[in-house]
């Protein structure tokens, strides 16, 4: 016995387990040694016959068996023989514990520490990674230099305040752009929209030509707003974390979209949309959309089938074919709903009893309590964002005379609720006045476009600095929360708190001063 315990204390013992009354001792020699591979060795594994290997941190993985089931398709092959990390910094969807533990199943060893002789291999690998990334984004178009770029790859940019201010309908080149993935190649001639669901014949498809010829053309003016609009403000002056791009007030734009009503197309496909409440009972609760870039989302069937909601399959934006960044040749436009559901480059629609399984439907674009952390945010339980809360922002402040400034901005609300009032304050919210509204020509409950507003306000006396504020009221008399405290969430979505701009009193300049 003594000898046994001595043995247990030996350097060589790495573990002891008791199972069914039996003691078993694990010695160092029992553990399989991690295999070590050099960068050069990894770089030779790029085809199914050699095996397809990648590097992540210091691990080496054989992902040959994973390729057919990769949700992003064969795009993963661009990382073959290289480090996957530069690609993951672009496709941020991979930064989840699920992805990391999934990858561990494919681990075959460790990367050898880089020595002086590896310098050329490292250089070679970095060069080919840069080339592969350039190739991935090879179809991305040129963009206007006026946009404020928040991420180059994938391309994300907001519109300058003055550009939002200067036109009621935002020109295409200045409309904010939000891409999660590279812009896909779309050939109008070969393009087909597939539709599936109950009552719909297998393999039902429509070309762009058929869509244009068979259905009535509709024009709808819609303000699209990203769920993350004004995210930056959610944590200004605090040390609270938020995950996502630091959007200011420009992740919103207003455009006239033309195309065909989704409802008409579903009816032509064979689905009894006029009786959708009855069809509901057959289990259709959601309409799912897939985009050619790999993005996907869904909306409730009630939204999709309701003629009042005017959901479009659009092929024109402000009278022009939809530009590549905005989903040409075909995109969904869901008025009154968070822009994340307006799927660009849409080529597949499915009627289903469940929401889309896309990452962005199930694991993103949901709201949480201010106390939920990254770890405790329960994405399965939370409701997907669809219609959005009432919102407003100040786009410009200009000096009129010594103590008077002119303010301009936008206001908007979800589900088609019109804006009935915008209150502005020049003293941080102590006193208010009504702004003058520029209301779009749309029904009060189908007001998908934004309302612009302006007001001339008197600055308070005896202060060096003051805070200009705006808040909007919609047709449901909903209004905006005073501060972000009650609506803060770690994903940084749905910031609709009063918009505040501090200005020096006496020598007021523009917002950028
Ligand atoms: N296919 C596809 N559709 C998409 C996205 C995307 O990355 N791919 N982004 C969504 C999000 S989050 C937003 S805010 C809007 C942005 O539309 P825009 O680029 O035309 O302004 O598109 C939505 N539709
Ligand atoms: Mo978005």
């Amino acid at each position: 016995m003594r000898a046994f315990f001595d043995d247990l204390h030996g350097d060589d013992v790495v573990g002891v387990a008791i199972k069914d009354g039996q003691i078993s001792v694990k010695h160092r020699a029992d553990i399989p040694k991690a295999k070590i591979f050099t960068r050069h060795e990894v770089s030779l594994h790029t085809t199914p016959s050699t095996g397809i290997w990648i590097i992540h941190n210091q691990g080496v993985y054989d992902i040959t068996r994973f390729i057919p089931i990769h949700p992003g398709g064969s795009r993963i092959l661009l990382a073959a023989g290289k480090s996957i990390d530069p690609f993951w910094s672009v496709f941020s969807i991979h930064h989840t514990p699920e992805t990391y533990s999934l990858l561990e199943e494919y681990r075959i060893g460790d990367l050898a520490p880089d020595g002086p002789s590896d310098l050329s291999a490292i250089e070679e690998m970095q060069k080919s990674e840069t080339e592969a990334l350039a190739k991935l984004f090879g179809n991305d178009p040129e963009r206007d230099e006026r946009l404020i770029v928040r991420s180059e790859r994938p391309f994300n940019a907001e519109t300058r305040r003055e550009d939002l201010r200067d036109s009621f309908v935002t020109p295409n080149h200045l409309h904010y752009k939000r891409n999660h993935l590279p812009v896909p190649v779309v050939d109008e001639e070969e393009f087909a929209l597939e539709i599936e669901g109950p009552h719909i014949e297998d393999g039902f498809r429509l070309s762009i030509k058929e869509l244009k010829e068979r259905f009535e053309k509709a024009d709808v003016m819609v303000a699209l707003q990203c769920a993350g609009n004004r995210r930056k403000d959610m944590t200004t002056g605090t040390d609270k974390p938020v995950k996502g791009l630091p959007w200011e007030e420009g992740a919103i734009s207003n455009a006239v979209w033309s195309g065909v009503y989704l409802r008409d197309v579903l009816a032509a496909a064979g689905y009894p949309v006029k009786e959708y409440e009855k069809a509901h009972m057959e289990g259709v609760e959601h309409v799912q959309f897939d985009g050619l870039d790999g993005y996907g989302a869904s909306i409730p069937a009630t939204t999709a089938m309701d003629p009042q909601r005017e959901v479009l399959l659009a092929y024109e934006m402000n009278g022009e074919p939809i530009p590549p960044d905005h989903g040409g040749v075909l995109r969904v436009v869901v008025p009154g709903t968070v822009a994340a559901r307006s799927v660009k480059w849409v080529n597949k629609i499915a009627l289903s009893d469940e929401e889309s399984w896309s990452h962005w439907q199930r694991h993103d674009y949901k709201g949480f309590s201010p106390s939920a952390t990254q770890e405790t945010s329960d994405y399965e339980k939370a409701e997907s964002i669809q219609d959005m809360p009432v919102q407003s922002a100040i786009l410009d402040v200009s000096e009129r005379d010594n103590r008077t400034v002119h303010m301009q901005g936008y206001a908007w609300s979800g589900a088609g609720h019109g804006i009935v009032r915008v209150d502005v304050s020049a003293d941080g919210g102590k006193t208010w006045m009504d702004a003058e509204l520029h209301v779009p020509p749309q029904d009060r409950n189908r007001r998908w476009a934004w309302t612009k507003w302006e007001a001339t306000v008197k600055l308070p006396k005896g202060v060096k600095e003051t805070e200009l504020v705006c808040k909007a009221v919609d047709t449901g008399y909903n209004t905006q929360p005073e501060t972000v405290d009650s609506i803060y969430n770690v994903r940084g979505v749905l910031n609709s708190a009063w918009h505040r701009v501090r200005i020096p009193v006496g020598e007021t300049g523009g917002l950028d001063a």
Side-chain angles (χ1 to χ4, degrees):
M1 204 57 188
R2 169 104 230 183
F4 178 77
F5 281 107
D6 282 351
D7 186 30
L8 277 190
H9 290 106
D11 278 353
D12 194 35
V13 176
V14 290
V16 182
I18 303 179
K19 201 184 160 206
D20 301 331
Q22 292 285 88
I23 300 178
S24 69
V25 181
K26 203 169 183 186
H27 293 88
R28 181 144 311 190
D30 301 332
I31 306 181
K33 273 229 167 57
K35 282 214 172 105
I36 304 289
F37 302 102
T38 63
R39 278 177 199 272
H40 179 69
E41 277 173 283
V42 177
S43 74
L44 300 176
H45 291 82
T46 57
T47 64
S49 60
T50 56
I52 294 164
W53 294 7
I54 56 158
I55 297 166
H56 165 57
N57 287 341
Q58 289 305 301
V60 175
Y61 303 81
D62 179 347
I63 57 162
T64 321
R65 283 178 301 124
F66 177 67
I67 288 170
I69 54 171
H70 179 233
S74 59
R75 224 164 10 207
I76 195 173
L77 287 176
L78 286 164
K82 312 190 244 299
S83 169
I84 194 117
D85 297 328
F87 298 89
W88 280 5
S89 67
V90 171
F91 300 108
S92 53
I93 167 178
H94 295 90
H95 297 304
T96 66
E98 291 81 17
T99 308
Y100 295 129
S101 70
L102 179 78
L103 186 63
E104 276 325 294
E105 291 172 27
Y106 298 91
R107 189 166 186 143
I108 53 170
D110 291 346
L111 188 65
D114 292 319
S117 62
D118 294 306
L119 278 181
S120 66
I122 297 173
E123 221 169 83
E124 192 55 42
M125 203 167 267
Q126 278 167 352
K127 202 173 129 225
S128 72
E129 280 157 8
T130 312
E131 281 166 11
L133 276 172
K135 200 164 142 201
L136 259 178
F137 288 90
N139 194 49
D140 272 35
E142 293 272 316
R143 277 98 182 194
D144 198 284
E145 283 181 6
R146 292 188 61 78
L147 293 164
I148 307 168
V149 179
R150 299 285 174 219
S151 138
E152 200 64 60
R153 284 175 178 171
F155 190 74
N156 287 284
E158 67 184 281
T159 315
R160 286 173 195 245
R161 295 185 190 96
E162 57 266 39
D163 289 330
L164 293 179
R165 174 198 65 194
D166 287 346
S167 51
F168 197 86
V169 173
T170 320
N172 292 354
H173 64 289
L174 298 177
H175 193 286
Y176 87 97
K177 298 171 190 354
R178 169 80 180 104
N179 296 335
H180 292 83
L181 298 157
V183 173
V185 178
V186 188
D187 179 338
E188 172 154 1
E189 295 302 312
E190 280 173 21
F191 177 88
L193 172 69
E194 271 174 55
I195 307 180
E196 57 178 54
H199 301 286
I200 299 173
E201 212 177 284
D202 275 357
F204 185 90
R205 295 155 76 90
L206 288 166
S207 66
I208 288 289
K209 195 160 166 272
E210 287 170 308
L211 278 168
K212 288 183 179 169
E213 284 174 3
R214 284 182 54 185
F215 301 93
E216 181 202 342
K217 186 176 176 186
D219 309 312
V220 188
M221 195 196 288
V222 179
L224 287 179
Q225 179 183 218
C226 185
N229 191 31
R230 304 186 56 213
R231 173 178 291 127
K232 191 173 173 207
D233 238 10
M234 200 166 241
T235 50
T236 305
T238 75
D239 53 6
K240 289 182 179 173
V242 278
K243 189 181 146 218
L245 298 166
W247 298 115
E248 296 184 9
E249 293 77 46
I252 184 170
S253 298
N254 193 47
V256 179
W257 298 92
S258 309
V260 299
Y261 289 120
L262 171 63
R263 194 172 179 275
D264 293 350
V265 175
L266 295 178
Y271 188 78
V273 288
K274 286 213 173 94
E275 304 159 63
Y276 76 91
E277 296 209 330
K278 203 157 76 190
H280 245 292
M281 288 182 270
E282 289 176 46
V284 174
E285 297 291 347
H286 303 274
V287 179
Q288 307 177 346
F289 308 115
D290 287 324
L292 282 163
D293 58 340
Y295 182 88
S298 59
I299 57 172
T302 47
T303 305
M305 317 250 178
D306 184 348
Q308 301 291 322
R309 291 298 301 248
E310 302 186 89
V311 179
L312 281 185
L313 293 173
Y315 50 76
E316 278 175 18
M317 179 180 184
N318 294 330
E320 290 166 22
I322 299 179
D325 263 326
H326 295 287
V329 293
L330 194 69
R331 89 172 290 175
V332 183
V333 175
V334 190
T337 289
V338 64
R341 313 298 173 214
S342 288
V343 175
K344 306 194 268 191
W345 314 290
V346 64
N347 75 328
K348 196 171 161 204
I349 299 177
L351 304 181
S352 174
D353 57 348
E354 49 184 20
E355 285 188 276
S356 162
W357 279 92
S358 150
H359 167 87
W360 296 279
Q361 189 71 27
R362 302 248 170 175
H363 296 286
D364 205 350
Y365 298 117
K366 297 190 175 191
F368 297 96
S369 113
S371 297
T373 63
Q374 201 94 268
E375 291 72 35
T376 63
S377 299
D378 184 351
Y379 276 93
E380 303 228 330
K381 214 173 115 208
E383 181 83 8
S384 303
I385 304 170
Q386 293 286 346
D387 299 337
M388 294 258 281
V390 56
Q391 173 73 288
S392 69
I394 301 165
L395 291 173
D396 189 43
V397 180
S398 57
E399 197 170 8
R400 273 291 147 87
D401 56 49
N402 195 22
R403 293 226 159 257
T404 322
V405 291
H406 186 67
M407 298 166 65
Q408 283 172 271
Y410 63 75
W412 180 87
S413 187
H417 294 310
I419 298 298
V420 296
R421 211 180 70 226
V422 173
D423 300 326
V424 295
S425 171
D427 54 12
K430 286 196 212 71
T431 59
W432 300 91
M433 65 174 278
D434 286 26
E436 183 191 336
L437 304 184
H438 303 285
V439 178
Q442 293 174 321
D443 293 347
R444 74 190 284 282
N445 274 325
R446 289 198 291 177
R447 206 164 285 159
W448 319 118
W450 58 19
T451 290
K452 290 289 205 67
W453 57 263
E454 58 184 312
T456 302
V457 293
K458 268 212 146 30
L459 301 177
K461 288 207 172 94
V463 289
K464 284 218 177 87
E465 200 189 47
T466 195
E467 197 173 58
L468 302 175
V469 191
C470 73
K471 66 176 169 84
V473 178
D474 75 6
T475 47
Y477 273 100
N478 299 297
T479 188
Q480 304 176 236
E482 187 169 338
T483 70
V484 294
D485 297 346
S486 64
I487 52 168
Y488 162 81
N489 61 87
V490 73
R491 186 65 183 92
V493 289
L494 301 162
N495 182 10
S496 62
W498 296 0
H499 187 213
R500 300 157 188 270
V501 175
R502 293 200 77 82
I503 54 158
V505 174
E507 33 172 346
T508 47
L511 274 183
D512 291 327

